[in-house]
């Protein structure tokens, strides 16, 4: 067993130069050591159970213009949609019958969904499905707005920091979006009481190993309940259309490192990971992830929520997505759970 992997397992942290060594020497043998330890750690807390979240992509309108994202404002080739409250509610109904007890409402930053509208949706879901958790993933808002959504009953909030390095952040986003505000949002969410998720894209354009080390340090310091990482995948109608995608091997390595650093974190095997490799999500679980997020969005809008090219599962009904993932988890000795899947005490 590699000595640094043992140290990471015991101390839950490494010095920057040690991390750099791991990142630069990502061999098959090292990854085997990392995933062996990381999956053992995940099993200690979660057994062979995998948490599921039903993902509802409620709007692809976005006022932001992130250079990497397929639904950025400037992409005029996108067919824009927003789900009605009834449609969102029906997704939950379908999801509930399939055993989902967490719904993730994700979308672009769509001003139509102001606090009043989102509060009404949260209240309606909570009224009908009181035993379910609601996760929001709708970008940057004021502390006051976040408070209002929390008071309405939202439990969790996903907001990837995207990159912890200021100049890298500037290369990925237009100047009205700042790393400072992103981080303020994350700290606000935490203070309010949300279970918070953050994360970044692996292999995003111009990302360096040093950037990744800063990302890991930021995550360790924030100590979020959830960590979402997935490979960057270019979208053909963005400024980064010719950039290289992130690698499977590096994403798997980082899942293992993050699992060893934050043993109890909820870490999904993301759709992007399943997109760059047919067995990406299974490999993600074997590397230490413990969450999957099947899609509950109406099939009619699936292909319009395209953040990157070739996204998987855009033609499948919710039930198909769920049973496909259940089979995939079963094939590697894991089992999909039908509880809320909260952060372990
Ligand atoms: N508007 C919300 C939700 C964003 S979509 C927000 O700002 O948080 C969720 C995540 O998809 C983003 O945080 C980003 O990390 C990821 N994403 C966007 N474009 C991507 C791409 N081209 N490849 C891989 N992941 C991407």
């Amino acid at each position: 067993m590699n000595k640094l992997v043992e140290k990471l397992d015991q101390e839950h942290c490494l010095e920057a130069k040690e991390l750099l060594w791991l990142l630069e020497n990502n061999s098959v043998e090292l990854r085997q050591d990392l995933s062996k330890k990381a999956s053992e750690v995940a099993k200690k807390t979660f057994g062979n159970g995998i948490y599921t979240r039903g993902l509802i992509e409620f709007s692809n309108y976005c006022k932001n213009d992130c250079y990497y994202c397929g639904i950025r404002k400037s992409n005029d080739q996108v067919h824009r949609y927003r789900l009605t409250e009834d449609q969102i509610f029906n997704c939950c109904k379908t999801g509930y019958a399939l055993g989902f007890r967490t719904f993730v409402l994700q979308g672009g930053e769509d001003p139509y969904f102001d606090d009043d509208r989102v509060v009404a949706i949260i209240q309606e879901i909570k009224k009908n499905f009181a035993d379910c958790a609601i996760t929001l993933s709708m970008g940057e808002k004021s502390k006051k707005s976040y408070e209002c959504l929390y008071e309405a009953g939202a439990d969790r909030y996903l907001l990837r920091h995207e990159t912890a390095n200021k100049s890298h952040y500037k290369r990925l986003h237009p100047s009205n979006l700042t790393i400072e505000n992103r981080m303020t949002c994350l700290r606000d969410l935490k203070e309010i009481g949300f279970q918070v998720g953050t994360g970044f894209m692996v292999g995003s354009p111009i990302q360096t190993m040093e950037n990744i080390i800063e990302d890991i340090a930021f995550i360790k310091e924030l100590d979020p309940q959830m960590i979402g990482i997935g490979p960057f995948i270019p979208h053909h109608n963005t400024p980064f259309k010719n950039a290289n995608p992130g690698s499977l091997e590096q994403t798997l390595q980082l899942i293992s490192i993050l699992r060893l650093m934050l043993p109890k974190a909820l870490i999904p095997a993301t759709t992007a990971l399943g997109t760059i490799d047919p067995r990406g999500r299974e490999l993600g679980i074997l590397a230490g992830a413990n969450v999957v997020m099947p899609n509950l969005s109406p099939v009619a809008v699936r292909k319009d929520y395209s953040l990157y090219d070739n996204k998987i599962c855009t033609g499948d009904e919710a039930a198909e997505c769920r049973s496909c993932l259940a089979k995939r988890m079963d094939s590697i000795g894991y089992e999909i759970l039908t509880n809320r899947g909260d952060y372990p005490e």
Side-chain angles (χ1 to χ4, degrees):
M1 177 67 60
N2 179 285
K3 289 279 170 288
L4 288 178
V5 176
E6 277 177 349
K7 180 176 174 193
L8 182 57
D9 180 36
Q10 279 155 20
E11 301 181 10
H12 313 301
C13 66
L14 285 181
E15 285 170 35
K17 64 174 189 301
E18 295 172 324
L19 273 175
L20 186 62
W21 190 91
L22 290 182
L23 294 176
E24 284 179 342
N25 294 278
N26 187 15
S27 63
V28 177
E29 296 75 33
L30 177 62
R31 267 202 318 287
Q32 267 169 3
D33 285 356
L34 275 168
S35 56
K36 182 166 180 290
K37 280 280 181 216
S39 59
E40 277 171 22
V41 167
K43 281 213 162 160
K44 235 181 258 166
T45 308
F46 306 104
N48 68 344
I50 299 295
Y51 292 161
T52 53
R53 284 77 169 88
L55 182 64
I56 303 168
E57 299 155 333
F58 67 90
S59 170
N60 72 353
Y61 282 88
C62 193
K63 65 179 166 69
N64 289 337
D65 220 13
C66 308
Y67 303 140
Y68 47 83
C69 183
I71 62 168
R72 64 198 297 265
K73 174 179 73 179
S74 296
N75 184 1
D76 56 12
Q77 304 295 307
V78 183
H79 171 252
R80 304 281 170 177
Y81 75 89
R82 51 174 74 95
L83 300 183
T84 63
E85 277 182 42
D86 276 355
Q87 282 176 307
I88 296 173
F89 184 72
N90 281 329
C91 291
C92 296
K93 219 163 124 183
T94 308
Y96 194 88
L98 289 169
F100 290 100
R101 293 298 177 267
T102 291
F103 301 116
V104 181
L105 300 180
Q106 187 181 88
E109 289 196 21
D110 178 357
Y112 172 86
F113 285 100
D114 58 12
D115 292 351
D116 288 348
R117 287 201 167 95
V118 181
V119 162
I121 292 167
I122 295 168
Q123 288 173 340
E124 183 70 8
I125 297 175
K126 282 283 176 170
K127 194 172 91 197
N128 289 275
F129 310 107
D131 55 341
C132 291
I134 298 181
T135 305
L136 303 177
S137 174
M138 44 185 74
E140 299 176 15
K141 293 178 182 288
S142 66
K143 188 165 188 193
K144 205 168 134 276
S145 290
Y146 286 145
E147 273 164 353
C148 160
L149 303 175
Y150 186 73
E151 274 156 30
D155 304 274
R156 310 181 187 138
Y157 205 103
L158 302 177
L159 187 76
R160 290 185 176 181
H161 67 281
E162 312 296 1
T163 170
N165 178 280
K166 191 169 172 158
S167 67
H168 188 216
Y169 200 94
K170 281 192 174 161
R171 304 284 293 272
L172 300 181
H173 303 95
S175 60
N176 66 320
L177 298 173
T178 65
I179 191 171
E180 288 83 7
N181 194 49
R182 199 86 180 164
M183 294 187 171
T184 301
C185 287
L186 281 164
R187 299 208 163 92
D188 287 347
L189 287 162
K190 235 189 141 187
E191 242 176 67
I192 291 167
F194 277 102
Q195 296 176 38
V196 172
T198 197
F200 60 96
M201 292 175 288
V202 178
S204 62
I206 25 210
Q207 181 185 60
T208 63
M209 296 288 191
E210 285 73 19
N211 293 155
I212 295 177
I213 290 170
E214 290 173 82
D215 289 323
I216 296 173
F218 173 73
I219 292 174
K220 182 76 186 164
E221 192 229 296
L222 181 73
D223 194 23
Q225 284 82 10
M226 302 168 280
I227 309 168
I229 62 165
F232 161 75
I233 303 172
H235 183 286
H236 63 277
N237 212 24
T238 61
F240 289 133
K241 61 181 174 213
N242 295 321
N244 292 320
S247 88
L248 173 72
E249 293 75 16
Q250 195 174 32
T251 309
L252 296 174
Q253 186 193 35
L254 285 164
I255 288 175
S256 298
I257 290 175
L258 290 164
R259 164 62 65 213
L260 293 171
M261 286 197 144
L262 293 93
K264 292 185 171 180
L266 307 173
I267 304 180
T270 58
T271 306
L273 190 55
T275 298
I276 54 161
D277 187 282
R279 287 190 70 242
R281 287 169 299 176
E282 291 90 313
L283 296 172
I285 299 296
L286 294 170
N290 74 310
V291 176
V292 290
M293 299 171 70
N295 203 320
L296 287 180
S297 311
V299 174
V301 305
R302 294 266 185 103
K303 62 174 188 336
D304 295 326
Y305 196 81
S306 108
L307 311 178
Y308 48 81
D309 289 339
N310 305 315
K311 188 174 152 209
I312 52 170
C313 312
T314 53
D316 300 342
E317 292 291 346
E320 293 171 68
C321 275
R322 191 191 179 280
S323 66
C324 159
L325 269 170
K327 266 188 230 136
R328 286 172 182 272
M329 295 302 111
D330 184 61
S331 77
I332 51 169
Y334 287 80
E335 171 198 13
I336 279 188
L337 301 178
T338 53
N339 58 17
R340 274 172 51 122
D342 279 300
Y343 186 74
E345 287 308 316

